[in-house]
Amino acid sequence: MRKLFQIALGIIAAIGGYLDIGDLVFNTQAGALYGYQLLWAIPVGLLGIMVFAEMSGRVAAIAKKANFELVAEQYGHRLGLLTLASSLLLTVLTLAAEIGGVGLALTLLFDGPEQTYMLLGAVVLLGVCWFLSFDHIERIFGYGGLTLFVFTAAALHFGPNWDSMAQGFVPESQSTTLYWYFALGLVAAAFMPYEIYFYSSGAREEGWTEKDLGVNRANAIVGYAVGGLLSVSLLVVAAEVFNPVGVDPDQLGTAMLGPQFAFGETGLIIALIGVLFAFGGAAVDTCFSAAYNLAQFQGWPWGKKAKNPTRWDISWVAFLAAGYVIVSTGVDPIELTEYAVVLSVVALPLTYLPILLIAGNGEVMGDHVNGLIAKTLGWAYFVLICVMTVAAPILLFATNGGGG
Amino acid sequence: MRLQAVSTALFTAVVLVGCGAPNGGPIKHDELERGVLSLGNAAGAGQLLTVGVIQDRTKTTFVRVSCRDLADEATHEAEKLQDAEADPDLRAAKAQAVILGSQIAAALGALQVAPKDPLIARDVGRRLDTLEHRATQLAAKL
C-alpha cells in the first residue's frame, strides 16, 4: 500500500512538473495559428520523451549511471566536451527563460518592476534549492503545477469540436514552413534534453534499484501521458480563444486569457499560480541539470545526498546566477524560449545516443536490456531527432525565427 | 576538429539570425508587413483584455501589466519602423504604420491607467477594433 502511495506521489509530481515555458509558448501559439491542426505533434513528442525517460531511468537503476556519466564513458574527450558545452549552453538559456517566466508571472499577479520580480524569483529558487531536500523540491513544484489543469477544465468548458480535434491528431500535408516550424517546436518542447538529464540524475539521487523499475515505468509512462494532457489542453484553449479572432498570444498575459474567459478572475489566478510553479520547477530542473552534467562529466561528487558535493553546489549556484544575468539584460523570456527550444534539438542526438547504446547492451543491463518495442521505438526516435537536428536551423532561418 | 568547426559555424549562423543580423538597406515589403501585423496583433490582444474588464471578470493588476506590455510592444514596433529607411513606394505605408503603432499604444495606455473602468474599457475596445482593422487593411496592401 505504501509502495503504491509512493508511486502515486511520484506520478503526480511528474504530471505537475511536465510543463515548462517552452511547452506553454509553443502549444498556445500553435493552437492560435493553426487551430487543432498540430495536435498530432504532441503525442509524437510525448512518446519520444516517454521512451527515453523510461530507458534512462532503467539505465540509472541497473547500470547505476546517469546521462552524462555515460557521455563521459562513451564519447572521446573532444566529442564529450562538445556535447557538454552545447548541453550547458542550451540548458542555461532555458534556465534563463524559466527565471524570466517566473518574473513575468509574479509581475502579472502583483504588478511592479519585472526585473525586481526576476531577481526575487532567482533568490527564492536559490533558497529552495539550497535548503530543501530533492524529494520536497519535486513534490512542491509538482503539486503546485497541478493547478495548470485549469486549462483542461477551460478546454472542456469551451466545448471543443471533437471531430475537428480528432482530425487534428492526423497529420496533414502542409507546404508552409511556419507550420513545420511549429510542428518541430511542439515535438522539441516535449523532448527537451534537460528533462532527461534531470530524470536520470534524479533516479540516481533517489537511489533507484531493480526494485524501482515499476516506479520508473509508471513515472515515465503514466506521469508523462497525463502531463501531456496539459499540452493538449493548452493548444485546445488557444484554438478556441485565439484562433477565431486571429490573435497570436506572444505575451504571457495574453496566453492566460483562456482560463479567465472560462472561469473569470478565479481561473486567471489559478492559471498564473500554475505557471509560477511550472516555471519555477523547470528552473530548478534546468539549474540542477546543468550542474549534474558538469559534475558527472568531470567525475565530481554530485547531488543533494552526496558527501561533500562542494563543486556541484558551486556549479548550480553559478548556473542559476548565469541564468539570472542573461534574463536581466532585458531579453524577452518568451523569445528566448523559442530559440532555446528549437536550438536544443541540435543537442538531442548526442544526448540520447549513450542512453540508447547502454540500454541496448545486454552485458550491462542483463535481463533489463531493451526489448523489441523499446529498441524499435528508441532507434526510430533517434532517426527522427537526427532529421530534426538538420531541419531545426533551416526552419529557424526560413521562418525568420518563427515570425513568419 | 571538422565537427567542431561545422557546429560552431552552424551555431553562429543561427545566433545571427536570432539577433536579427542587419542585412543593410531599406526596409523590405515583407518586413514592413510583419511589423504591421505585429501591431495588429497587439491591438487584437488588447481587445481581448477589454472583454474581461467590461464583464468585471479579471484582475486589476493583470490588466494593468498586460496593457503596459502590449503598449510597450506597439511602441517598440513603431520606433523600429520610424527608424527604418524605406524606398519611395513604401514610405507612405511606413508612416501609416508608425501612426498606427502610436495610436494602439495610446489606447492601451488609457486602459492601463483605468483598468477597472468598464466604460473606458468599452471605448478602448472600440478604438482597438478599428485600429486592428486598419492594420489588417494596411498589411493586405503590402
Side-chain angles (χ1 to χ4, degrees):
Chain A
M1 192 65 192
R2 193 157 173 259
K3 188 71 177 173
L4 278 174
F5 186 62
Q6 291 288 337
I7 292 174
L9 288 179
I11 291 172
I12 289 168
I15 294 167
Y18 176 75
L19 225 63
D20 71 354
I21 191 169
D23 296 296
L24 182 89
V25 166
F26 273 93
N27 282 291
T28 51
Q29 290 194 323
L33 290 171
Y34 294 102
Y36 297 120
Q37 291 177 55
L38 280 165
L39 272 173
W40 63 267
I42 296 175
V44 171
L46 196 54
L47 183 59
I49 193 70
M50 282 181 191
V51 166
F52 280 101
E54 190 281 328
M55 237 184 260
S56 69
R58 188 161 25 99
V59 168
I62 303 300
K64 310 289 183 216
K65 294 278 165 75
N67 192 195
F68 254 83
E69 288 170 325
L70 298 176
V71 167
E73 273 179 16
Q74 296 287 315
Y75 295 160
H77 185 70
R78 277 189 181 163
L79 187 55
L81 211 52
L82 176 69
T83 308
L84 177 68
S86 59
S87 79
L88 289 181
L89 177 62
L90 295 166
T91 304
V92 171
L93 284 180
T94 308
L95 168 59
E98 306 293 350
I99 294 172
V102 167
L104 290 178
L106 286 171
T107 308
L108 286 165
L109 276 166
F110 304 115
D111 200 358
E114 235 168 61
Q115 288 293 329
T116 304
Y117 282 122
M118 287 180 190
L119 177 60
L120 178 66
V123 169
V124 169
L125 288 169
L126 176 68
V128 161
C129 291
W130 191 269
F131 294 112
L132 296 185
S133 70
F134 189 84
D135 285 344
H136 280 117
I137 292 171
E138 221 184 351
R139 303 277 187 244
I140 286 170
F141 288 102
Y143 299 160
L146 290 176
T147 49
L148 284 172
F149 276 108
V150 70
F151 281 93
T152 308
L156 293 169
H157 169 86
F158 292 129
N161 184 321
W162 296 102
D163 285 337
S164 298
M165 263 189 73
Q167 279 169 27
F169 283 104
V170 178
E172 294 178 354
S173 70
Q174 281 264 359
S175 57
T176 65
T177 46
L178 192 64
Y179 175 89
W180 289 106
Y181 170 84
F182 276 101
L184 183 139
L186 285 174
V187 175
F191 230 139
M192 295 289 282
Y194 81 81
E195 297 187 32
I196 292 299
Y197 305 147
F198 188 77
Y199 190 91
S200 73
S201 302
R204 294 287 296 122
E205 284 256 41
E206 293 186 355
W208 279 4
T209 64
E210 194 176 344
K211 288 185 286 189
D212 298 299
L213 290 181
V215 173
N216 172 47
R217 211 166 283 132
N219 281 355
I221 296 171
V222 178
Y224 279 125
V226 180
L229 179 59
L230 286 172
S231 291
V232 170
S233 303
L234 286 172
L235 191 147
V236 168
V237 168
E240 291 293 321
V241 173
F242 302 116
N243 183 259
V245 294
V247 168
D248 175 6
D250 57 1
Q251 302 274 348
L252 180 64
T254 312
M256 297 295 105
L257 288 174
Q260 182 195 283
F261 284 154
F263 307 117
E265 187 176 351
T266 305
L268 172 65
I269 292 172
I270 292 173
L272 284 170
I273 290 171
V275 297
L276 192 59
F277 277 96
F279 298 169
V284 173
D285 291 359
T286 45
C287 173
F288 277 179
S289 292
Y292 284 142
N293 291 357
L294 180 61
Q296 287 163 15
F297 188 77
Q298 296 289 91
W300 301 337
W302 55 268
K304 289 185 97 26
K305 296 177 184 172
K307 282 185 190 166
N308 302 318
T310 311
R311 281 174 289 189
W312 180 74
D313 280 330
I314 291 170
S315 299
W316 69 254
V317 172
F319 287 129
L320 186 63
Y324 169 70
V325 165
I326 291 171
V327 80
S328 70
T329 60
V331 66
D332 178 13
I334 304 294
E335 228 174 284
L336 184 59
T337 299
E338 291 186 23
Y339 284 103
V341 168
V342 177
L343 292 177
S344 72
V345 167
V346 177
L348 286 179
L350 291 175
T351 299
Y352 288 119
L353 185 59
I355 300 171
L356 198 49
L357 292 174
I358 296 300
N361 186 331
E363 283 177 17
V364 174
M365 301 296 288
D367 292 340
H368 303 291
V369 71
N370 278 348
L372 181 61
I373 295 174
K375 196 189 298 186
T376 307
L377 285 174
W379 283 107
Y381 267 96
F382 186 74
V383 169
L384 175 63
I385 60 183
C386 289
V387 169
M388 283 168 60
T389 300
V390 173
I394 296 170
L395 289 171
L396 201 59
F397 271 111
T399 62
N400 197 43
Chain B
M1 187 70 168
R2 196 183 291 173
L3 179 63
Q4 279 176 322
V6 168
S7 303
T8 307
L10 197 60
F11 187 71
T12 307
V14 169
V15 168
L16 282 175
V17 166
C19 296
N23 53 11
I27 192 168
K28 299 189 180 74
H29 274 86
D30 61 330
E31 288 167 344
L32 180 55
E33 185 188 356
R34 270 199 299 276
V36 170
L37 287 173
S38 178
L39 290 172
N41 196 62
Q47 261 195 288
L48 291 176
L49 269 180
T50 63
V51 173
V53 179
I54 293 165
Q55 295 175 350
D56 192 22
R57 295 181 87 231
T58 187
K59 194 175 181 308
T60 305
T61 54
F62 172 79
V63 173
R64 181 162 275 154
V65 172
S66 296
C67 283
R68 189 166 63 224
D69 288 344
L70 289 168
D72 284 348
E73 188 182 320
T75 302
H76 179 66
E77 194 62 50
E79 286 170 352
K80 266 189 351 186
L81 292 172
Q82 174 64 31
D83 291 344
E85 289 174 14
D87 285 334
D89 62 324
L90 283 182
R91 275 187 205 145
K94 186 175 85 84
Q96 282 177 48
V98 171
I99 293 170
L100 256 178
S102 303
Q103 289 171 332
I104 290 168
L108 289 162
L111 188 59
Q112 180 185 340
V113 168
K116 282 202 274 199
D117 191 328
L119 290 176
I120 288 181
R122 268 188 222 284
D123 178 58
V124 168
R126 275 192 290 266
R127 285 159 67 184
L128 289 173
D129 185 44
T130 305
L131 293 167
E132 190 191 5
H133 277 113
R134 277 197 216 153
T136 307
Q137 284 165 351
L138 182 58
K141 284 186 208 167
L142 292 168

